[in-house]
Amino acid sequence: MQLDQTLGDDDTVPLRTLLNEAAETLAAAGIQDPTVDAELLAGHVLGASRGSVQAKAVMDARVPAAEASRLREVVRRRADREPLQHITGRAPFRSLELLVGPGVFVPRPETELLAGLAVDALRSSAEQQPIGIDLGTGSGAIALAMATEVPHARIAAVERSSDAYAWAHRNVEETGVANLELVQGDLADAFPELEGRAAVVASNPPYVPDDAIPRDPEVRLFDPAAALYGGEDGLDVVRVISRRALSLLRPGGLVAIEHGEFQGEAVRDILDADGWHATATHVDLTLRDRVTTAVR
């Protein structure tokens, strides 16, 4: 059904009709959760929360034709597999709503596990101002989670990509945190002034093997390659992080590294070979290996 056939005498369209049409279009395009995306896109266009959109639909609310046209356009973009977060310009992460777009890796729900482990380690530290470091911060998600959830901590974050750094800088400014230092540079030699002082080093590095092309178009076509691919086995940057974190952490400090679901054993082997203690792999909400930790 075309939207111009559903216009009322007042030049409006039933929201429920728009949502049904959007969900059908997105389902045909292979979107995993078409109804969810349809509601979120409608909320983006209408300036409303997803819950408000659902309530309006139940109450048979109608949408002005101009906004209906805008919704059709963003649904078309999503059907072309442009990431939802690029369209809305936002990505939820724990308690945050981060600015994202072309040039930066979109934070995933599974990375909230990594952030949670880092936050818990900072909170359990006996130091008056524990130091947390995010190596390869991307959008700033992990660093900002640490900074906002542990306000007495001092957080440092580094990002090499100028595009991603710009997004992280915007997020730091919008969040307004005063306990986070963001720098542009290489994680391999970042923060020499903090060597031997950090309580936590966290990282979500590129870990996709070079020949393992992601299946999802949203990842393959839109996420920056530098944030995805990590060498022949995907673990080149993990090796760098292991060595750098040994220098940055104080005795008893924790390193936490995200990785692919089949890489837990290999990451533990890298950490064990470098002299780390108490290596352990943690599963995400889907029960897949996702983060490996170790103690300095």
Side-chain angles (χ1 to χ4, degrees):
M1 181 185 296
Q2 294 298 314
L3 296 183
D4 56 4
Q5 295 176 326
T6 63
L7 292 175
D9 293 337
D10 57 352
D11 203 32
T12 62
V13 185
L15 176 58
R16 185 179 302 178
T17 299
L18 289 169
L19 292 174
N20 289 339
E21 292 172 348
E24 290 175 6
T25 298
L26 296 176
I31 302 300
Q32 185 174 5
D33 296 305
T35 300
V36 173
D37 280 24
E39 292 169 348
L40 290 171
L41 289 169
H44 171 62
V45 169
L46 300 175
S49 68
R50 182 185 170 201
S52 178
V53 168
Q54 293 170 330
K56 288 176 184 291
V58 169
M59 296 171 62
D60 293 324
R62 300 181 72 89
V63 176
E67 292 182 336
S69 179
R70 284 183 57 209
L71 179 55
R72 292 181 72 191
E73 175 56 29
V74 296
V75 167
R76 188 178 302 111
R77 289 168 60 187
R78 184 70 185 103
D80 288 339
R81 305 305 291 265
E82 183 176 350
L84 174 70
Q85 299 88 345
H86 282 201
I87 298 170
T88 65
R90 295 279 180 173
F93 188 80
R94 291 175 72 87
S95 64
L96 302 166
E97 284 283 339
L98 299 169
L99 295 163
V100 294
V104 71
F105 184 81
V106 174
R108 274 40 171 195
E110 54 265 31
T111 302
E112 295 188 8
L113 169 65
L114 171 62
L117 290 166
V119 164
D120 289 346
L122 287 172
R123 286 176 173 164
S124 65
S125 173
E127 297 162 287
Q128 186 174 6
Q129 190 181 44
I131 295 172
I133 298 175
D134 181 5
L135 297 178
T137 194
S139 66
I142 299 163
L144 282 166
M146 291 192 286
T148 56
E149 296 181 42
V150 195
H152 66 278
R154 174 185 174 188
I155 309 302
V158 62
E159 174 56 50
R160 183 171 63 180
S161 162
S162 57
D163 289 336
Y165 174 83
W167 285 106
H169 183 70
R170 294 185 193 106
N171 284 316
V172 171
E173 284 198 330
E174 181 174 83
T175 308
V177 292
N179 60 334
L180 194 162
E181 175 191 5
L182 173 67
V183 301
Q184 186 173 3
D186 195 324
L187 61 81
D189 55 11
F191 306 116
E193 72 279 8
L194 298 180
E195 289 184 359
R197 300 172 58 192
V200 179
V201 171
S203 182
N204 179 17
Y207 53 74
V208 177
D210 287 347
D211 61 356
I213 306 302
R215 181 184 312 149
D216 293 339
E218 292 89 341
V219 179
R220 185 175 68 251
L221 301 177
F222 292 93
D223 278 326
L228 292 176
Y229 301 107
E232 184 176 356
D233 64 355
L235 300 176
D236 285 357
V237 184
V238 170
R239 296 181 178 91
V240 176
I241 291 167
S242 175
R243 295 190 294 268
R244 187 61 190 146
L246 278 172
S247 297
L248 290 168
L249 287 168
R250 57 160 170 74
L254 183 83
V255 65
I257 304 171
E258 182 172 321
H259 51 74
E261 61 181 298
F262 303 115
Q263 295 174 323
E265 181 179 2
V267 173
R268 293 195 302 273
D269 288 345
I270 290 170
L271 295 172
D272 288 338
D274 284 343
W276 291 90
H277 304 287
T279 54
T281 297
H282 310 259
V283 297
D284 60 22
L285 292 176
T286 65
L287 302 182
R288 294 179 172 90
D289 285 356
R290 188 57 62 193
V291 177
T292 292
T293 58
V295 176
R296 170 77 163 82

